[in-house]
Amino acid sequence: MVAERGLDPSDWREFRDQGHRMLDDLFDHLQTLREQPVWRPIPPSVRQRFRGPPPTAPSPLAEAHSSFMRDVLPYAGGNLHPGFMGWVQGAGTPVGMLAEMLAGGLNANLGGRDHMPIEVEREVIGWMRQLFGFPEGASGLLVTGASMANFVGVLVARQRALGEAGRRQGANGARLTAYASTAAHGCVTRAMEMAGLGSDALRQIAVSADQRIDIEALRQAVQGDRRAGAQPFLLIGNAGTVDTGAIDDLDALADIAKTEGLHFHIDGAFGALGVLAPELKLLLRGLDRADSLAFDFHKWGQVPYDAGCILVRDETLHRETFAADAAYLQRERRGLAAGDWWPCDYGPDLSRGFRALKTWFTLKVHGTDAPGAAIVRSCALARALERRVAAAPVLELLAPVTLNIVCFRYACDDADRVNRAIVADLQEAGEVAPSLTSIDGKVAIRAALFNHRTDERDLDALVRGATAFGDAARRGAA
Ligand SMILES: *Cc1c(COP(=O)(O)O)cnc(C)c1O
């Protein structure tokens, strides 16, 4: 049978009621987060229900909604929950959720052309340009996340080094080399791979005890490469490393980049938005000297996934990295195919969603002050946790606390095994969910305090739980 009305509801009254129920269920969920476990293992029966054949026949919306409520919502990743401190993840906001609904309703395609959603993205980028002290003419683009933003940064730097010929011929024998510290995120290595430059061309420079790049070692590496006939082209600074939150000396890096003629890119995935907190501004000195800056709204900015951003100082260079002619992308002076800014000229995507709207709503409704205050609060919580770890005889701090990430461990024989067990036990108990990392070869419990809902109760639960599970794991082995 041919559907009579395409895919719109045949009974809008009933659809509307169902839609309101769905919205209410989410509000209930968000209002009662603390009463639920942060995470729970997925029962095999639930997993099994999601291994079926493609559904050919229609089924009621209410049924799909019930499946979601029963099988998906209770087994989500936990990052909304105040006890979540596992990875560098934001918690989202109810405002962001509603904005996602509006964006979904519009189903806008932000590749280009002349429509208001594009102006919303432009405004968000303009706000960021001002916030980060980039010049008026600087350019930017919303992307999925910092992985993509760092990739775009590497491509822009490659464009600067190779020019137009690079787009046609690739590196063509040029031995381009890039520099970042050993604490850089893995996506930087991947960006070098994807850019066709190869991960061997990324020199990973040693860090000092505070996890910041060793400036002298960097200088020597660049000069050594130059003597050996390579072409240093890119320096990547960290504004908040993923493991410990360390911030490189960005001012010193900017100076080196200038002297050595390197493109200066900063991975500020979460740390860059620290500029919203007056207390952190000093640590981030030099951020405004970057040639390109990658950061995320979906981490400390609390915008729902996914929402990352790249800013590029030189708009022309940014456009030259990506823009291409194609008949179907023809620009007109009037009509829908007009518009003087087409995002598809500034990144790899043509079809693009309206992720600007949830970012715009979050900033409009909360201002920059409220997320800034949440950032300050999460750093204060980290310092409080640092004090508690220092005061607990069995716990040991493994890295200095710069921002909001605390790495520590239960100190004992066989500590790697015991600390792995502690983290899994904590996650399964469902009260708090830290993660594991490794600091100087030691397995560490990592509490990354990004969630705007986390408070002192969650720190109590973490310290209490880590101590109790550690005692038990040690006894278990004895
Ligand atoms: C999270 C993170 C990334 C990757 O960002 P995504 O948004 O997950 O793609 C890169 N660098 C650092 C320092 C990060 O914390």
Side-chain angles (χ1 to χ4, degrees), residues 88 145-147 185 187 240 242 267 269-270 296 298-299:
V88 178
S147 301
H185 193 273
C187 71
V242 64
D267 178 4
F270 71 89
D296 278 318
H298 56 213
K299 291 172 174 171

Side-chain angles (χ1 to χ4, degrees), residues 32-41 74 76-86 388 422-435 447-449 451 453-469:
T32 58
L33 284 169
R34 205 174 257 290
E35 296 155 31
Q36 306 162 34
V38 51
W39 177 83
R40 55 193 128 192
N79 55 315
L80 307 187
H81 192 281
F84 185 91
M85 46 187 78
R388 278 175 216 215
I422 290 172
V423 167
D425 286 341
L426 284 168
Q427 291 170 358
E428 285 172 2
E431 210 178 345
V432 289
S435 62
L449 301 163
N451 192 307
R453 304 181 175 106
T454 302
D455 64 27
E456 299 266 346
R457 286 171 287 180
D458 305 295
L459 303 187
D460 285 339
L462 174 64
V463 171
R464 198 178 349 100
T467 307
F469 284 126

Side-chain angles (χ1 to χ4, degrees), residues 93-326:
T93 64
V95 167
M97 176 184 98
L98 292 177
E100 276 283 67
M101 183 186 70
L102 302 184
L106 273 192
N107 189 32
N109 183 339
L110 279 82
R113 309 197 169 84
D114 197 19
H115 50 113
M116 204 53 204
I118 301 248
E119 293 300 323
V120 175
E121 180 158 344
R122 277 179 111 163
E123 177 160 51
V124 169
I125 291 163
W127 288 343
M128 292 307 116
R129 190 162 51 213
Q130 294 169 55
L131 201 67
F132 288 115
F134 270 52
E136 177 105 36
S139 162
L141 190 73
L142 296 202
V143 293
T144 43
S147 301
M148 181 55 90
N150 283 316
F151 180 42
V152 170
V154 169
L155 293 175
V156 168
R158 192 188 66 167
Q159 180 71 18
R160 181 163 157 187
L162 300 176
E164 189 251 347
R167 284 186 65 176
R168 284 182 289 111
Q169 302 163 353
N172 197 19
R175 284 168 53 208
L176 300 185
T177 51
Y179 304 82
S181 87
T182 51
H185 193 273
C187 71
V188 170
T189 309
R190 233 159 3 118
M192 291 292 288
E193 294 166 6
M194 294 191 295
L197 301 170
S199 51
D200 284 355
L202 177 67
R203 307 285 192 251
Q204 299 220 274
I205 309 297
V207 291
S208 39
D210 57 6
Q211 298 287 315
R212 302 166 90 202
I213 191 166
D214 180 335
I215 298 287
E216 203 35 53
L218 168 67
R219 235 188 233 114
Q220 282 169 16
V222 172
Q223 284 159 12
D225 278 333
R226 226 187 269 292
R227 276 195 302 275
Q231 186 182 337
F233 81 112
L234 166 64
L235 172 58
I236 300 172
N238 289 308
T241 59
V242 64
D243 276 330
T244 70
I247 301 170
D248 288 337
D249 183 343
L250 302 174
D251 243 348
L253 294 189
D255 288 341
I256 293 181
K258 196 164 170 208
T259 322
E260 297 286 346
L262 309 175
H263 182 94
F264 182 34
H265 174 82
I266 294 179
D267 178 4
F270 71 89
L273 280 184
V275 298
L276 297 180
E279 293 86 334
L280 300 183
K281 262 207 146 131
L282 203 61
L283 287 173
L284 292 164
R285 214 177 35 209
L287 200 71
D288 58 349
R289 296 176 64 191
D291 293 309
S292 51
L293 169 65
F295 65 97
D296 278 318
F297 293 111
H298 56 213
K299 291 172 174 171
W300 247 352
Q302 312 293 343
V303 173
Y305 285 95
D306 47 29
C309 187
I310 175 80
L311 288 183
V312 179
R313 180 174 300 275
D314 180 345
E315 194 267 350
T316 306
L317 178 67
H318 190 189
R319 185 160 26 78
E320 284 172 354
T321 308
F322 294 101
D325 297 327

Side-chain angles (χ1 to χ4, degrees), residues 386-393:
E386 183 184 26
R387 285 193 295 275
R388 278 175 216 215
V389 168

